[in-house]
Every structure is written in C-alpha cells, then in structure tokens.
Amino acid sequence: MSDNIVRNKLSKKINSLSFDKDDLKKLLNILQERSIAASEIEYKRLEAKDASNLEAIKSDLRICSQLRITVNGSQSEELFGSIDEVFNSVSFPETIKSVYLNSELIYHSNYKYYPDNSFQLLIDFSKPKIFDFSFQLTDRTPNQSQFDVQGSDNTWVNGVFHEIDSYIKARPSKFSSGHKGSIYSFLVWFFGIPFGFWTCHKVILLKSSTFVGHSFLENIFLTYCFFLSLFILRILFHYFRWVYPMIEYKSKKERSLVHQTAVISISLGIIGKVLYDLMKLVLGF
C-alpha cells in the first residue's frame, strides 16, 4: 500500500443519463484505458523505489489493471468478467438493472494490495414502480448511480473524473428534472388542486338524484372525489417517472415509446379538457 498521505478524491451522483449497449461499452473501454494508465503510474512509483523483480511486478500490474465488471439484469441475471467477456456473452441481459466496477478489485483479491490511483462506478438503471408508495414524492427519485475517482496523482484523478463526467453529461435522459423532489409539490399546488375542484364541478353537473335531500352525503362524496383526483395525479406522476427514468437503459425490446405516447396523450387530454372548460366559464361560449 502507498505511503503517500496526500490523496485526492472526487465523487459525483449521476442525476441524468441515457445509455444503450454501445454507449455503455464505449465508456467502459475508456475506463479500461485509464486503468492501464494508472498501472503504469504505479509501476513508475515502485521503480523509483528500486524495487526488486520489476519485470514480474510490471506483469502483475498489467494483469490487475484489466477491469472486471458486474452486470445485473432485470430478470435476476448476473454476469461477472472482463468487458469483452461480459458484452460478448450470449447471456448478456436484454434489460440491465445495474452495472458496477471497481478498478481496485483484482489488486485486492489477488495480492491484498491497494493501488495509489483508482476509480469505481455504479450505474443503477432500476425504475421506480408505478404503484410503489413507500417513498415520498416530495423526495428525489431513489437512485444509487455514482462514480468516484481517487489517488495521489492529481493529474490522473482530475482527468479521469472530468472524462467520465463529460461523457455522462453528453447523454442526458429526457425530463430528468421530473425526478426532483420539488416538482411534485409544484404540480399539486398549480394543477392537482385545480384538477380536484374541476372534478367536483363535473360531478355536480351530473345532477344525479342520488343525493337529493342528503347534503351531508353529497359533501362527503365530493370530498372523496377531490382526494381521488389527487390520488390519480399521484399515480400518473409515478407512471411518468417510470416511463421517463432518471437513469435510462435503452433496449431494443423496450416498449418505452408506446408508454411515452400513452402518458403524453393522457396528460394532454386531461389538461386540454380542464382548459376548455375554464375558457367556457371565463369567456362564456
């Protein structure tokens, strides 16, 4: 383990990302090159100490610099191996749930050794479930995606960090701002509550004789319709987050386009009807 006490560590959460298989493999191949560069820096450091068996050490460092990745599929598949082994496997999942790599892994597992410079990457492609109400919608959509780069060589650390960051920023997901915690509160106050009142208004216009002479029951029913409208809005918001994930893996078999069309059609239909009735009320036509 290095005796250098000055280390630099950079970490960042991934908040917006849209990858297909080719994008993912290209990023991993870039990181493979940076892992080899880190092993060369490690060799120069050991060479400067006049270590013995330099040729053997160089060979070992080359072996350790070969990244091993873990890919988990949505159907509980799990693949572990080199980049080419995993991506060329016939068992490569059609839909990926997560990808993880740590450039220290082989160093530590083979020699109980920690290199001076390393990185790790976790991409969490999981989607929030439509009917999962266990987390607060006022919170950011739960996701573990993050990358970390650390080491004593500041040039290498900053270079790798900004290379990963730039690659990810160039491939953002659609409507990632919809996964921020504040967006749902905004929707409730400026659309959800008016939508609830509009629903109650439409119910009153039905002029049903069911509650004639039972104003208490009528008020209870209207209150129920109001909160049911907010519940429908919540389901639609969950559906939106599922259709437009913050961290997206684009698969050929993914029917996201159908769902995206559906959520846009439903939303525009409701908004259009509310606006139409509002214009009728205001303009009197």
Side-chain angles (χ1 to χ4, degrees):
M1 191 169 178
S2 172
D3 55 0
N4 194 326
I5 61 173
V6 179
R7 298 179 65 82
N8 184 21
K9 182 176 181 179
L10 300 174
S11 304
K12 187 172 184 179
K13 288 277 189 182
I14 302 175
N15 295 319
S16 179
L17 176 65
S18 181
F19 269 3
D20 58 19
K21 186 177 180 180
D22 292 336
D23 293 327
L24 179 59
K25 187 175 183 181
K26 183 177 179 181
L27 174 61
L28 295 175
N29 284 333
I30 291 172
L31 293 178
Q32 178 61 78
E33 293 176 4
R34 303 302 168 255
S35 179
I36 293 173
S39 73
E40 293 171 352
I41 295 172
E42 194 75 19
Y43 175 76
K44 290 178 181 178
R45 184 181 68 82
L46 295 174
E47 185 181 35
K49 290 184 175 182
D50 297 323
S52 58
N53 303 318
L54 285 176
E55 286 303 315
I57 290 174
K58 188 174 185 178
S59 177
D60 290 340
L61 289 174
R62 274 283 180 172
I63 293 172
C64 291
S65 68
Q66 298 303 308
L67 296 177
R68 296 293 186 272
I69 64 173
T70 301
V71 173
N72 291 297
S74 59
Q75 303 299 320
S76 300
E77 310 99 323
E78 182 173 317
L79 299 179
F80 175 79
S82 68
I83 297 171
D84 288 336
E85 288 171 347
V86 170
F87 276 79
N88 293 332
S89 172
V90 295
S91 301
F92 191 87
E94 188 64 39
T95 304
I96 296 177
K97 186 177 180 180
S98 67
V99 176
Y100 175 75
L101 69 88
N102 188 330
S103 65
E104 290 184 339
L105 180 63
I106 304 303
Y107 290 94
H108 182 63
S109 61
N110 286 3
Y111 302 103
K112 304 297 181 184
Y113 180 82
Y114 290 95
D116 253 17
N117 303 287
S118 63
F119 54 79
Q120 67 175 341
L121 170 70
L122 171 62
I123 304 180
D124 177 9
F125 290 108
S126 61
K127 295 182 179 182
K129 296 179 181 178
I130 298 175
F131 295 101
D132 180 10
F133 305 123
S134 61
F135 67 93
Q136 296 294 323
L137 284 175
T138 52
D139 296 334
R140 174 179 171 271
T141 300
N143 192 279
Q144 302 300 316
S145 299
Q146 180 174 321
F147 61 93
D148 308 281
V149 186
Q150 62 179 346
S152 57
D153 190 310
N154 288 338
T155 301
W156 183 89
V157 170
N158 285 297
V160 174
F161 179 85
H162 289 296
E163 193 165 21
I164 297 173
D165 193 34
S166 297
Y167 190 88
I168 289 173
K169 282 182 177 178
R171 295 160 178 82
S173 58
K174 297 178 182 178
F175 304 115
S176 57
S177 59
H179 294 268
K180 295 179 179 179
S182 58
I183 191 69
Y184 183 69
S185 297
F186 175 85
L187 285 175
V188 168
W189 282 103
F190 291 95
F191 180 76
I193 293 176
F195 175 61
F197 289 139
W198 174 83
T199 301
C200 293
H201 173 68
K202 299 300 286 186
V203 171
I204 292 173
L205 290 180
L206 291 176
K207 297 181 179 179
S208 173
S209 61
T210 305
F211 300 109
V212 173
H214 299 83
S215 59
F216 174 75
L217 293 177
E218 183 179 1
N219 290 334
I220 290 295
F221 183 70
L222 290 175
T223 302
Y224 172 79
C225 290
F226 179 82
F227 285 107
L228 179 62
S229 300
L230 295 182
F231 181 70
I232 291 173
L233 176 68
R234 177 167 184 168
I235 292 176
L236 285 175
F237 190 68
H238 274 275
Y239 184 42
F240 176 87
R241 283 184 166 181
W242 183 83
V243 171
Y244 294 99
M246 183 170 63
I247 310 296
E248 176 187 27
Y249 180 74
K250 295 180 289 188
S251 168
K252 293 180 180 179
K253 291 186 178 181
E254 186 75 28
R255 300 182 62 189
S256 58
L257 186 60
V258 176
H259 290 285
Q260 289 172 10
T261 303
V263 73
I264 290 175
S265 299
I266 293 171
S267 301
L268 290 179
I270 294 174
I271 294 173
K273 183 60 178 173
V274 172
L275 291 177
Y276 176 75
D277 287 349
L278 181 62
M279 290 180 65
K280 283 178 61 179
L281 179 64
V282 173
L283 301 178
F285 64 86

